Each structure stands twice: as C-alpha cells, then as structure tokens.
Amino acid sequence: MTALTLSTSSAATLRADTVVVGVTKGAKGVALAPGAEAVDKAFDGGLAAVLETLGASGAEGEVTKLPAPSGLKAAVVLAVGLGDAPAGDDEYDTEVLRRAAGSAARALAGTKKAGFALPAADAGDAGAVAEGALLGAYAFTAYRSGNGGGDAKAAGTAKKADAKAPLAEIAILGGKPRDKAFKAATERAGTLAAEVNRARDLINTPSNDLTPKDFAAQAQAAAKEFGLKAEVLDEKALKKGGYGGLMGVGQGSDNPPRLVRIAYTHPKAEKTLALVGKGITYDSGGISLKPAGFNETMKCDMSGAAAVFATVVAAARLGLRVNVTGWLALAENMPSGNAMRPGDVLTMYNGKTVEVLNTDAEGRLVLADALTRASEERPDAIVDVATLTGAMVLALGNRTFGIMANDDAFRASLHEIAEEAGEPSWPMPMPGELRRTMDSPVADLKNIGERAGGGLLAGVFLQEFVGEDITWAHLDIAGPAFHESAPFGYTPKGGTGSAVRTLVRLAERTADGDLG
C-alpha cells in the first residue's frame, strides 16, 4: 500500500517528485487555497495567473500539471480544483478535501513521492486529505502480467509493466507530526483506507478465484493475523442447522455455501454491534436467469460481505472499545439440475417458510438466515449491508445507498454518520402495506411481492427475520458498490468498498457511547 507520512517540510523545501496545491473558483478567476503560499512565492506570486493561462478554472476535481520553478525542490506542481471557496471564515468541507486529494493521487500514478499542500487547518482536515489520497492511489493489479497474458494466479507476482504503479509515497504538509491529534487522524486514515481497499480487492477478484470457501479462508487468515475469532459453517453444518436460505441459494453450484462469523471483542466494551453482509460470490440469477448484459459484473454481489469483513478488521486495528461481530452469508447462485426452482418452498433458520417465486431475489434469502442467527446473540444493534435490489438503483442512482430501519432515530443517525464519513445515502421508508403483497397461498411468505417499491419491499422481507426488540437497519448499496464509469475523486472504476467508512464510523460512535 502507498506509504503515508506527516512532514514538517514546506512545499518549497520538500524533496519529492511533485507538490500538490489546491485552487478554487474565486470571484475574479482562479484563486489559491491555503497551503499554496510557498509554491506561489516560487512563481513570484503569479501561480494563479499561470494556471488560468493553462485553462484551469478551480472546478472541483480538475487537475493541472506544470513544471516547477527553480525555487522548489519538487520537479512538478499539480494544482487540483476544490470548487467554490468557502464563505467568510468557513473551513473547507472535509469531503471536498478527500475528493481533491483522491483526484490528485489518481493523476500521480507512476510517481514515487508527492507532497500534499492542501488546506489542513486542523487534524480533521489532515486526516481527510490523507484518507482521500490513499483511497485515490488504489489500483487493482493482481491479474496484470508483464506481457499482457499468462496464468492469472501467477500474474499477481509478475512485473506490472503494462500499468502504472500507484503513487508510492504521500507526505502531508502543514501537519504536525508530534501533535497527538494530527498523528491519530492520519493513522486512522491509513487504517481506514487499507480496509476499504481490502474490500475493493475482494470485490474486484473474479469469481473463479473467490468462491464461498475462498472467501471464508480469507476471513480465517485475517482472524489469525489480527487476533479475531472466526467460525465457519460449511454445507454439512448449514444443512444440519436448518439454514434453508443459504442452502437453497447455494444448492445449484458446485461451490457450496458458507456462513462465517468473525468477531472482534474489546475487554472494556459496553456495547455490541452485529453486522451482516450479503456474500453472493457470483449471481447468475439461478433458474430465473439474468438477461444478457446483466451478468458481467455479478462478481460484485458479495460487496456487502466484503464491507462487513473489512469493518470488523478495521475495528480491531483501531482498538475500538466496542464488540463488533460480522456475519458473512456466502453462496454462489447458479442454474443447474440441482438448483432451487421457482415455486420451491424453503424452511428458513427461524422456522418460517418462504415460497421462492424468483431465484434472482436470492440475497434476501441468505441474509434472512444470517439475521436470525445474529439475533440469537442479542446484540445492541444489527446492520445488514447488501447489493440487494436494482429498484434501489432506480430510486437513488449509482452513487447513493438507501437506509431502512425499524427505528427512526437509528435510521436518522446512520444517515448522519454516512454523510459525515463521505458516503452519500438517503433514508427510505418501510411501508407496512407492502407486507401483504408477499403473502403466499402455500407458505408463510413469498420472496417477492408487487413490483412497485421493490427496494422497500426487500427491507420489509428482511425485517421478518430480525429478533424481537432488536434495533436494526438495512443498507442497500446496489448503486455505489461497483462503479462502472470513469473514476472520480477517490472512487476507482470497479469495486468501491461502499459502506466500510460508514460502518467504521458507527462503531466509533458506539464505542463513544452514542449508538444513535
């Protein structure tokens, strides 16, 4: 991973390949953001004018490179747009800083060292710059070989000659390395980015190398490395235990399902969070086969489980004073002679029966079993995370996830936390009348209901499997989990690690006594 340091050097004296400064859209054109003073001095006060000559406007995410003058140790100056300058004495929004740092880091792929002289008035700003830069420097190169071919498993160790390496080292300028708050903020950023990138790596890994068994093995390895407790239920244990949802979804594949419990405990913790992740390592739709054009990215249907896994590890690495238990509901949804059929009835782990009318509504089935199992431990709150419905994408677009909950205050708190973490979200209702559209003539309920409000209906279905009097929320990350367009800010193409930062922030707040 990209190295990160806090530097006492100025932008003029730092020995680096590039120095990064911020620019804004001022009233009279391009204006320099705080942190750029030393660089501007090297340009004899004319940096803004030079940038305007080169076509810079200060628009958010805009990147302009230019040769450094003799007064700087760095060879290149990179100016990144911050958008409109804050009014009056207001400070720059931390998300603006994250995205700007991410845009700069992406533009510096192939560079060895860069100094970031973006506005860092306090430790929070320094942490935001560090986080954005580290997330922006991400690249998934495990399957790139030096000659563009070769065995995929061997390619991870081959020379990556056909792709630029990520920015190797980031120095945050204007910070205070001996200040405990600055040090803590940047160390947290490093841990958080590492775990978001862990989730991204899992999401980007092709399904032939990430079966339920493979995913479970990665969780076990991480548990050993970070002092966590991991338990894995294989297909025999799932069948014996009555996990009808997981077994039903997984029965059509040669790669059988798994349920993983991975737990971090703190000796002084007063609260326990349970996180449940949908882990469909490949989703063909089963017998209700997805149409052409909808299968190609379905390796990402385990993004919820990846987010939960990464969050538990992050909580351990940060030493948070809260217990965090992750439940990874892992299965591969395939069509075969043994696959679950439309019309089949499954008996779920809590004893309820579900008539399956659409085998492509499988995520709610594996989550249902995991939610029931998680409820048995009576945590203070449960949050499930899933790439669950296309309906949520239609409602909220590709960058915003939906939040549903059985407690309005908890839902509002999660929305606030997500925005604070820099992850767009929106509170969604769970209309009670949708429940009757899932009534079945042969079972307790169907796995689908009326078409309208499909994203909301999925949440209503899941609520049936949450233990009584347990605070619960559901995050539908179907939109932002996998980014298919051009990268922006710190968001790469491919797996994004959506919800990890929100869940870690929730764990931090819970550790501080504010569960919401």
Side-chain angles (χ1 to χ4, degrees):
M1 185 175 169
T2 301
L4 175 69
T5 58
L6 275 171
S7 177
T8 56
S9 299
S10 74
T13 61
L14 180 74
R15 293 188 179 277
D17 300 290
T18 303
V19 63
V20 178
V21 298
V23 294
T24 67
K25 297 170 67 174
K28 299 180 180 180
V30 172
L32 303 180
E37 296 83 1
V39 178
D40 188 38
K41 184 177 180 181
F43 279 89
D44 295 325
L47 176 56
V50 172
L51 289 169
E52 281 197 350
T53 301
L54 294 174
S57 67
E60 188 174 331
E62 177 187 75
V63 171
T64 307
K65 289 182 180 180
L66 63 161
S70 58
L72 299 180
K73 296 291 185 182
V76 175
V77 173
L78 185 150
V80 61
L82 300 170
D84 295 329
D89 295 330
D90 291 346
E91 296 182 0
Y92 286 86
D93 184 82
T94 52
E95 179 61 9
V96 169
L97 296 177
R98 283 191 201 99
R99 291 183 180 179
S103 295
R106 285 192 299 104
L108 291 172
T111 303
K112 290 184 178 180
K113 182 177 181 178
F116 282 68
L118 296 175
D122 55 31
D125 290 344
V129 171
E131 183 183 326
L134 289 169
L135 291 174
Y138 172 80
F140 184 68
T141 59
Y143 291 82
R144 293 185 181 273
S145 62
N147 59 11
D151 180 77
K153 287 182 179 291
T157 57
K159 183 179 179 181
K160 314 300 189 301
D162 58 345
K164 288 184 178 180
L167 172 61
E169 184 178 350
I170 294 165
I172 306 298
L173 306 180
K176 302 172 183 177
R178 296 182 181 179
D179 184 291
K180 290 183 179 180
F182 274 82
K183 185 178 180 181
T186 52
E187 286 180 350
R188 175 189 183 274
T191 298
L192 192 59
E195 293 312 316
V196 171
N197 290 340
R198 180 194 299 274
R200 289 172 170 179
D201 283 348
L202 284 164
I203 297 163
N204 289 327
T205 299
S207 300
N208 59 318
D209 281 343
L210 192 72
T211 65
K213 182 179 178 181
D214 295 326
F215 199 143
Q218 290 212 31
Q220 289 173 309
K224 185 176 181 180
E225 180 179 358
F226 297 105
L228 308 172
K229 184 177 181 181
E231 302 171 43
V232 178
L233 298 184
D234 63 12
E235 67 273 26
K236 292 180 181 179
L238 291 172
K239 184 176 181 179
K240 183 178 180 180
Y243 293 85
L246 274 158
M247 287 302 299
V249 173
Q251 71 188 40
S253 173
D254 288 340
N255 298 304
R258 297 286 187 270
L259 178 62
V260 177
R261 179 187 186 273
I262 182 168
Y264 159 70
T265 57
H266 190 285
K268 296 183 180 179
E270 297 180 356
K271 297 287 185 180
T272 297
L273 286 176
L275 308 176
V276 177
K278 174 187 173 183
I280 303 298
T281 57
Y282 183 75
D283 183 18
S284 69
I287 297 296
S288 305
L289 193 67
K290 292 180 183 291
F294 287 83
N295 274 308
E296 289 76 4
T297 61
M298 282 300 102
K299 65 181 182 179
C300 80
D301 212 20
M302 35 57 68
S303 296
V308 166
F309 175 28
T311 299
V312 176
V313 176
R317 294 180 63 178
L318 294 170
L320 302 183
R321 191 171 173 172
V322 59
N323 298 327
V324 184
T325 303
W327 298 89
L328 317 181
L330 309 175
E332 193 174 69
N333 187 25
M334 298 291 283
S336 75
N338 196 45
M340 175 176 65
R341 296 152 293 220
D344 284 359
V345 175
L346 305 177
T347 301
M348 311 300 282
Y349 181 67
N350 71 346
K352 289 186 179 181
T353 54
V354 176
E355 182 184 13
V356 179
L357 295 184
N358 186 337
T359 65
D360 196 25
E362 87 298 330
R364 64 199 67 183
L365 298 175
V366 300
L367 287 173
D369 278 350
L371 283 167
T372 302
R373 179 65 185 86
S375 296
E376 289 181 342
E377 297 187 357
R378 304 303 299 176
D380 294 286
I382 299 176
V383 180
D384 76 71
V385 191
T387 48
L388 205 59
T389 64
M392 193 61 68
V393 183
L394 293 176
L396 298 179
N398 291 317
R399 297 190 183 184
T400 303
F401 62 73
I403 306 174
M404 285 169 268
N406 60 4
D407 180 278
D408 290 345
F410 190 48
R411 181 182 60 188
S413 181
L414 275 169
H415 179 223
E416 177 186 308
I417 287 169
E419 296 298 312
E420 181 183 335
E423 298 195 295
S425 67
W426 197 250
M428 303 293 283
M430 291 199 302
E433 67 271 12
L434 290 178
R435 173 59 183 85
R436 65 174 176 267
T437 73
M438 290 185 287
D439 287 344
S440 166
V442 298
D444 293 328
L445 71 165
K446 302 178 294 187
N447 74 326
I448 58 172
E450 64 184 21
R451 185 174 183 182
L456 310 182
L457 187 140
V460 173
F461 178 94
L462 293 177
Q463 189 175 18
E464 294 280 318
F465 300 89
V466 178
E468 189 175 354
D469 298 325
I470 295 178
T471 301
W472 159 78
H474 161 59
L475 310 185
D476 190 335
I477 61 171
F482 197 84
H483 183 60
E484 296 186 65
S485 302
F488 67 94
Y490 51 77
T491 301
K493 188 170 185 176
T496 65
S498 177
V500 173
R501 292 181 294 147
T502 296
L503 295 176
V504 171
R505 191 73 193 101
L506 171 64
E508 289 173 329
R509 279 203 180 188
T510 305
D512 292 337
D514 181 15
L515 184 56

